[in-house]
Amino acid sequence: MKPLLSARGLTKRFGARVACRDAAFDLWPGEVLGIVGESGSGKTTLLNCLAGRLTPEAGSVTYDSAAYGAVDVHDLSEARRRLLSRTEWGFVNQDAREGLRMGVSAGANIGERLMAVGARHYGDIRRTASDWLSRVEIERDRLDDRPTTYSGGMRQRLQIARNLVSEPRLVFMDEPTGGLDVSVQARILDLLRSLVGSLHLSAVLVTHDLGVARLLTHRLMVMQGGAVVEDGLTDQVLDDPQHAYTQMLVASILPV
Amino acid sequence: MADDAYNYAYLDEQTKRMIRRAILKAVAVPGYQVPFGGREMPLPYGWGTGGIQVTAAIIGRDDTLKVIDQGADDTTNAVSIRRFFAKVAEVATTTRTDEATVIQTRHRVPETPLREGQILVFQVPIPEPLRMLEPRETETRTLHALSEYGVMQVSLYESIARHGRISKGYNYPVMVNGRYIMSPSPIPKFDNPKLDRSPALQLYGAGREKRIYAVPPYTPVKSLDFDDHPFEIETWEQCCALCGSKESFLDEMIVDDDGKHLFVCSDTDYCERRRTLPEAAE
Ligand SMILES: Nc1ncnc2c1ncn2[C@@H]1O[C@H](COP(=O)(O)OP(=O)(O)O)[C@@H](O)[C@H]1O
Ligand SMILES: [Mg+2]
Ligand SMILES: [Zn+2]
């Protein structure tokens, strides 16, 4: 088996600040990898470098594409990278407003990826959008409503549907439940967990919430000040942290 | 020189050359918006300064110019542009579509079929078809460069979701030569089929945004749609009250205080010819 995504020596600076230093890992098909760490530790920067949204100063990201075979994400033409990112990949933003078109209906939001790759049958697009709306537990009769009329939790679920409709193989998520009420969070986490399982998705999930990481991820990388200080199976890292920083994180956020 | 105060066709030769270069590039890449260094014209934007600059750059003394505004030759706008070129370019003018070599237009394509050798110059207020969907210029440029047009289809989807059909009546987006999505300027969608494989050259000039784009003769121009909601043009139950045409684009006119209304051809030349020449009306 080949890794789906491999990072080697990824380094990204903002001016003099090194936001991400020498990150390396392999993501295997069907695996959910968590990136945890406190605010400012470089999680989002690393995620954006992986997804080709930021260009690192050093290092490489290799993706095993279904359409093109193994490709270097940062060597791809912009055209091909954008095509990959709306067919084989998904990206779920913390702020659903950044990941959605707020001015058009939920149906149009979900249908966009289908239309972008050539779907031209309105009825079929609408049916697929409606099915996805119900899969993310939103009433089908909200299909023609704009996301501005949705609650925060519904928007996040709509964003998930908009990404998954193209049946991506790899989904990047940046704090997908951040800023939501605890009960709303729990519902989205359950939903994500069942979708990841039923669609055999691979995912890289950024979160500062170790509870979220525990629930959704198989493996964890712990970041501090731009560096990965510990990685391993999620349960191992959380139950028996080796690095002092991880011990501190676990102690403060998961009181026994 | 037509007058000591200005150069032939008003613009100086250097400006005309620059506009011609932009036109050549536009013709070479059908539907692609070419930026050009526009000149200030002696008319406010909205009066067709983009079209006027294009016309000024291509017109010569042998040309015969027709200018229409919403299909009519006799509006203030059309008359003043026609007079302007008669004076500064010493060209003959006409109201007849079949006699014209250059037709500058705002909001219509003539009903009389165009032929090879004719040039149709459109006045364009907003050249970017994706502008309402994507306000960032750098992003729209990328979308065109990569042919990423999903967002345009999204807007048509949304129209059907809201109104049960694609409600856009004017400025209906088209795909030119299978490559670039183009705004045909605010003509009624009724005119879109006339753009497809037209024997005439179509030039589009946007004055405020300083863009020129073109559709060379016989280029495929397809109106966007869905398989199950195909593109359709407007139809009327009436025929023209003046000439009886069943094929032309009709304007509604209120004819008396009781609100009685009539439908008449928007293309005044077409309507008049059908009334004065029996053979023109079949
Ligand atoms: N666009 C940027 N310009 C300058 N500094 C940035 C930028 N993005 C992030 N940083 C800095 O890089 C570091 C890592 O940020 P980030 O990756 O957002 O961390 P996290 O997602 O873990 O909160 C922080 O110090 C942040 O201030
Ligand atoms: Mg972050
Ligand atoms: Zn008539």
Side-chain angles (χ1 to χ4, degrees):
Chain A
M1 199 163 58
K2 274 200 292 185
L4 190 63
L5 191 74
S6 298
R8 293 290 178 271
L10 272 187
T11 298
K12 175 70 193 172
R13 294 188 187 85
F14 294 108
R17 182 190 302 274
V18 183
C20 171
R21 187 195 320 267
D22 205 22
F25 68 89
D26 291 322
L27 176 76
W28 297 91
E31 193 178 32
V32 180
L33 175 71
I35 304 174
V36 297
E38 67 191 313
S39 177
S41 56
K43 306 181 296 295
T44 295
T45 302
L46 175 55
L47 191 74
N48 286 331
C49 286
L50 296 174
R53 294 181 159 202
L54 278 178
T55 307
E57 269 75 40
S60 66
V61 180
T62 308
Y63 168 67
D64 188 22
S65 161
Y68 312 114
V71 292
D72 182 328
V73 168
H74 294 282
D75 268 358
L76 281 178
S77 68
E78 194 189 1
R80 191 159 279 190
R81 185 163 61 236
R82 287 172 70 122
L83 185 64
L84 262 189
S85 66
R86 63 169 191 266
T87 51
E88 298 190 24
W89 294 355
F91 199 109
V92 178
N93 291 281
Q94 172 173 355
D95 185 349
R97 282 171 303 185
E98 280 172 31
L100 293 173
R101 286 189 192 281
M102 299 302 283
V104 298
S105 65
N109 268 283
I110 300 175
E112 178 164 355
R113 277 181 172 226
L114 302 173
M115 292 182 256
V117 295
R120 289 294 179 268
H121 191 285
Y122 174 82
D124 289 350
I125 295 165
R126 191 173 170 77
R127 212 165 303 120
T128 307
S130 172
D131 289 346
W132 266 101
L133 207 59
S134 104
R135 277 183 91 161
V136 297
E137 299 164 12
I138 298 174
E139 295 296 327
R140 288 178 193 257
D141 66 7
R142 302 299 306 270
L143 189 64
D144 292 333
D145 295 341
R146 293 182 183 183
T148 44
T149 68
Y150 280 23
S151 69
M154 287 166 74
R155 285 180 194 177
Q156 204 53 291
R157 280 179 275 137
L158 177 60
Q159 193 191 181
I160 291 165
R162 169 177 161 87
N163 274 276
L164 297 190
V165 68
S166 65
E167 297 178 16
R169 312 160 76 213
L170 172 60
V171 180
F172 301 97
M173 294 184 266
D174 194 352
E175 310 268 10
T177 58
L180 298 173
D181 291 347
V182 174
S183 62
V184 176
Q185 270 196 35
R187 189 164 166 204
I188 291 178
L189 292 174
D190 278 348
L191 175 70
L192 278 174
R193 198 151 75 145
S194 80
L195 287 172
V196 162
S198 64
L199 300 168
H200 309 291
L201 287 174
S202 308
V204 182
L205 169 84
V206 160
T207 179
H208 68 276
D209 184 333
L210 298 188
V212 170
R214 167 93 78 182
L215 199 66
L216 285 179
T217 69
H218 304 116
R219 225 148 41 88
L220 270 191
M221 298 200 309
V222 183
M223 290 186 78
Q224 181 191 18
V228 177
V229 295
E230 180 164 358
D231 70 323
L233 295 175
T234 298
D235 289 342
Q236 263 170 28
V237 172
L238 296 182
D239 295 339
D240 185 17
Q242 301 298 304
H243 193 277
Y245 177 74
T246 316
Q247 289 167 359
M248 191 201 77
L249 273 185
V250 171
S252 58
I253 299 169
L254 290 177
V256 191
Chain B
M1 291 284 270
D3 191 304
D4 288 345
Y6 43 77
N7 194 28
Y8 176 76
Y10 189 80
L11 295 178
D12 61 84
E13 292 306 310
Q14 197 190 337
T15 302
K16 281 194 273 188
R17 271 197 296 275
M18 176 196 62
I19 294 172
R20 285 176 200 139
R21 273 198 297 272
I23 291 172
L24 285 175
K25 186 168 176 184
V27 168
V29 192
Y32 173 73
Q33 299 167 50
V34 182
F36 73 105
R39 268 274 321 262
E40 293 313 313
M41 296 299 287
L43 282 171
Y45 292 123
W47 280 64
T49 59
I52 290 172
Q53 290 180 82
V54 169
T55 300
I58 60 168
I59 206 157
R61 285 188 179 83
D62 297 339
D63 277 311
T64 304
L65 177 70
K66 170 181 166 77
V67 181
I68 46 174
D69 181 7
Q70 312 262 17
D73 297 84
D74 57 1
T75 71
T76 315
N77 193 351
V79 170
S80 57
I81 294 172
R82 204 159 56 230
R83 282 206 191 119
F84 174 74
F85 280 112
K87 183 170 175 222
V88 302
E90 300 155 38
V91 290
T93 62
T94 183
T95 57
R96 284 183 50 172
T97 298
D98 57 341
E99 284 178 352
T101 56
V102 176
I103 303 171
Q104 183 173 326
T105 178
R106 176 172 171 267
H107 296 187
R108 276 312 310 277
V109 175
E111 306 290 2
T112 307
L114 301 177
R115 54 177 161 73
E116 281 186 16
Q118 289 183 308
I119 302 177
L120 193 56
V121 178
F122 292 82
Q123 301 170 196
V124 179
I126 299 170
E128 178 50 70
L130 305 172
R131 183 61 69 231
M132 300 308 270
L133 309 162
E134 177 52 70
R136 290 167 299 173
E137 173 64 22
T138 50
E139 184 64 11
T140 53
R141 234 179 277 169
T142 304
L143 297 179
H144 285 296
L146 303 180
S147 253
E148 262 186 33
Y149 290 135
V151 59
M152 190 82 242
Q153 211 68 29
V154 164
S155 78
L156 300 183
Y157 172 101
E158 194 64 4
S159 185
I160 302 173
R162 295 244 189 97
H163 312 288
R165 62 191 175 85
I166 301 173
S167 61
K168 206 162 173 56
Y170 291 83
N171 224 339
Y172 191 105
V174 294
M175 171 64 83
V176 177
N177 208 25
R179 176 58 185 87
Y180 285 102
I181 284 184
M182 182 187 94
S183 159
S185 88
I187 57 173
K189 65 178 177 174
F190 181 89
D191 288 339
N192 276 20
K194 298 177 192 162
L195 308 180
D196 184 33
R197 297 177 170 83
S198 169
L201 168 64
Q202 304 163 41
L203 301 177
Y204 296 79
R208 192 181 299 115
E209 296 197 30
K210 304 192 192 332
R211 296 294 172 85
I212 288 170
Y213 49 100
V215 177
Y218 302 110
T219 304
V221 175
K222 186 186 180 309
S223 302
L224 303 181
D225 60 3
F226 285 95
D227 298 343
D228 48 341
H229 285 265
F231 173 79
E232 283 171 353
I233 59 172
E234 302 87 335
T235 54
W236 289 265
E237 284 171 12
Q238 303 82 347
C239 50
C240 171
L242 301 175
C243 77
S245 174
K246 298 184 192 76
E247 275 107 48
S248 79
F249 186 86
L250 301 181
D251 283 338
E252 191 173 353
M253 280 194 349
I254 310 284
V255 289
D256 63 23
D257 293 345
D258 302 335
K260 186 167 178 286
H261 52 229
L262 286 178
F263 287 87
V264 298
C265 292
S266 125
D267 184 334
T268 52
D269 167 63
Y270 169 84
C271 193
E272 204 170 293
R273 296 256 298 145
R274 283 176 52 92
R275 279 178 286 150
T276 52
L277 299 172
E279 69 269 24
E282 282 141 302

